[in-house]
Amino acid sequence: MEKVFAIQKQNVVVFEIQPFTEKQIAECILRSLDWSRKDIDDFRKFESSDLHKVLSNPQVLNLFIRAWPVIQERKFKHINRWRVFECYLEYALNKVSNALPPDLDVDVKA
């Protein structure tokens, strides 16, 4: 949905980001993580009923996909936004840590 406002003789375009549907979430996960439909169905069985609410936000879904290796390693029974953020932070810090030269003495721990 697009709304246009006139502010001090300038046009400002405001976009409203709509939440993803379950179908859009599944398609994004299938495309990004190379999962099968069965993997998605199995994943849904172990997650809370709030999974759609958590992943319907496009930014949270993006972080979830990037942090999937950490999320998978932790074997959560339920997931919420905080866990997605926490796992993404760990993923990002690990990535930075691995990119640093080995002789550089910097502590980058989650």
Side-chain angles (χ1 to χ4, degrees), residues 68-92:
W68 176 245
V70 176
I71 293 169
Q72 189 176 27
E73 191 176 281
R74 291 198 181 177
K75 299 180 182 177
F76 292 124
K77 294 292 182 197
H78 301 283
I79 195 148
N80 57 34
R81 284 185 182 158
W82 175 250
R83 286 187 173 154
V84 172
F85 295 144
E86 182 182 300
C87 290
Y88 176 75
L89 181 59
E90 183 177 330
Y91 164 80

Side-chain angles (χ1 to χ4, degrees), residues 20-92:
F20 283 145
T21 63
E22 280 198 32
K23 182 180 178 185
Q24 289 171 314
I25 292 169
E27 287 172 1
C28 190
I29 289 174
L30 282 169
R31 185 176 55 249
S32 302
L33 294 178
D34 224 12
W35 284 7
S36 68
R37 288 272 178 207
K38 183 183 180 318
D39 291 334
I40 289 208
D41 291 341
D42 290 346
F43 180 69
R44 284 184 179 146
K45 290 177 192 173
F46 293 105
E47 294 300 322
S48 68
S49 60
D50 291 339
L51 181 63
H52 175 259
K53 192 184 312 180
V54 172
L55 298 181
S56 64
N57 178 302
Q59 185 61 35
V60 176
L61 179 58
N62 182 33
L63 296 178
F64 172 86
I65 289 168
R66 290 175 180 219
W68 176 245
V70 176
I71 293 169
Q72 189 176 27
E73 191 176 281
R74 291 198 181 177
K75 299 180 182 177
F76 292 124
K77 294 292 182 197
H78 301 283
I79 195 148
N80 57 34
R81 284 185 182 158
W82 175 250
R83 286 187 173 154
V84 172
F85 295 144
E86 182 182 300
C87 290
Y88 176 75
L89 181 59
E90 183 177 330
Y91 164 80

